[in-house]
Amino acid sequence: MARSGVTSRRKAEELIKKGLVRVNGTIITEMGVKVNPLEDEIDVAGKKILPEEKKVYVLLNKPLGVVTTMNDPQGRKIVTDLLKDIKERIYPIGRLDYNTEGLLLLTNDGELAYHLTHPRFEINKTYFAKVNGYVTELALKELRQGVMLADGLTKLAFVKLLKRTAKESSLEITIQEGRNRQVRRMCEKVGHAVSYLKRIRLGFLELEDLQVGQYRCLKDFEVKKLKIDCKLTK
Ligand code: URA
């Protein structure tokens, strides 16, 4: 199911456990049932799954003011609206806030999406952040060593101080996790509201000369390397 782009592997397991998946009309509730996608008919909650479609991997420089969910009750612009010539149904790997700019990967490869977002596989994400005020050495140490947030202590982070004045500081922050609004919450917790946030790196991928709003497909060697880095293949 993950390979056919219907959902992530984790969610596929939940659907199976809930008895929503049928193979040739029979409900299955156990993991690991082998199917032949060309011969067997599989449906999820009555909806037929079509055979695997071509895998597409898109790297976008997300602009501000766009959501990374697939529909928005408030009617705001959706990230896939920007991908005019991509025919496949692809979805963002992880999320970036409405007010965050930068590197976003989108794909219909559910398995890769699962591995890239799972904390176990520890893919680094690097952000450029402008924050209010003068960030002290103590605040930097706290950011690096772990900040206690409502959903627990953050893991070790790499934090580079790029610039600081009494009014504003610029930081490069690398985290391994991908919790909701994590960088904003970490900075707020040490007393500095984020005024601008951009993801500049995901694993080895960088934006390079991709302008805001522009996108490109990943090259084969980049897909291979990503899979190796998130322990999907050797
Ligand atoms: N951390 C945040 O606070 N926001 C993002 O969009 C990404 C990481």
Side-chain angles (χ1 to χ4, degrees):
M1 282 197 282
R3 258 192 244 130
S4 70
V6 172
T7 183
S8 69
R9 202 159 140 156
R10 198 171 12 181
K11 291 222 178 91
E13 288 185 1
E14 281 170 22
L15 293 172
I16 291 172
K17 278 189 201 142
K18 283 185 185 155
L20 292 170
V21 179
R22 289 190 305 179
V23 177
N24 301 324
T26 306
I27 293 175
I28 52 149
T29 48
E30 278 173 27
M31 302 304 140
V33 172
K34 297 268 179 278
V35 294
N36 179 344
L38 299 177
E39 287 174 3
D40 295 319
E41 231 177 61
I42 303 155
D43 66 82
V44 179
K47 205 166 157 222
K48 194 171 168 218
I49 295 189
L50 300 171
E52 200 171 338
E53 59 177 351
K54 182 181 147 225
K55 295 286 177 269
V56 183
Y57 306 86
V58 171
L59 191 161
L60 166 74
N61 188 346
K62 175 193 170 297
L64 302 176
V66 180
V67 292
T68 56
T69 46
M70 296 307 275
N71 49 53
D72 184 57
Q74 296 173 49
R76 294 174 295 185
K77 196 166 185 171
I78 290 167
V79 78
T80 44
D81 294 344
L82 301 169
L83 312 175
K84 295 287 179 231
D85 59 351
I86 306 287
K87 310 271 174 302
E88 290 77 7
R89 235 166 57 95
I90 59 174
Y91 50 91
I93 300 184
R95 62 197 148 206
L96 285 182
D97 300 335
Y98 183 70
N99 292 328
T100 301
E101 202 172 274
L103 196 159
L104 183 71
L105 273 186
L106 300 103
T107 187
N108 53 358
D109 183 340
E111 201 138 39
L112 182 69
Y114 172 77
H115 274 243
L116 279 177
T117 48
H118 199 294
R120 182 152 48 105
F121 303 112
E122 297 183 346
I123 293 295
N124 285 343
K125 299 151 199 90
T126 302
Y127 297 86
F128 170 79
K130 267 191 191 164
V131 301
N132 296 337
Y134 184 98
V135 176
T136 61
E137 293 306 315
L138 178 63
L140 288 172
K141 190 172 163 197
E142 285 176 335
L143 287 172
R144 287 178 183 134
Q145 292 189 342
V147 177
M148 185 52 85
L149 301 177
D151 51 0
L153 189 66
T154 59
K155 285 191 186 167
L156 288 183
F158 302 95
V159 183
K160 223 191 266 177
L161 175 68
L162 302 175
K163 191 178 157 198
R164 68 183 161 194
T165 66
K167 246 177 100 182
E168 189 177 71
S169 306
S170 300
L171 307 172
E172 196 178 289
I173 303 179
T174 302
I175 55 174
Q176 293 171 7
E177 305 160 281
R179 301 194 215 166
N180 196 18
R181 299 185 68 253
Q182 181 166 342
V183 173
R184 289 177 200 275
R185 288 192 292 139
M186 285 168 69
C187 293
E188 269 158 32
K189 190 67 199 269
V190 299
H192 300 278
V194 171
S195 60
Y196 174 76
L197 188 62
K198 177 171 191 138
R199 179 151 70 194
I200 56 172
R201 209 173 299 126
L202 176 76
F204 68 92
L205 291 170
E206 297 194 13
L207 288 165
E208 295 174 7
D209 52 3
L210 210 56
Q211 300 302 302
V212 174
Q214 284 188 339
Y215 60 93
R216 70 169 177 89
C217 287
L218 292 190
K219 303 191 176 80
D220 285 351
F221 84 87
E222 292 174 315
V223 175
K224 269 192 199 138
K225 184 159 166 43
L226 264 186
K227 287 186 178 175
I228 292 169
D229 290 352
C230 69
K231 310 196 176 52
L232 195 53
T233 51
K234 288 199 180 114

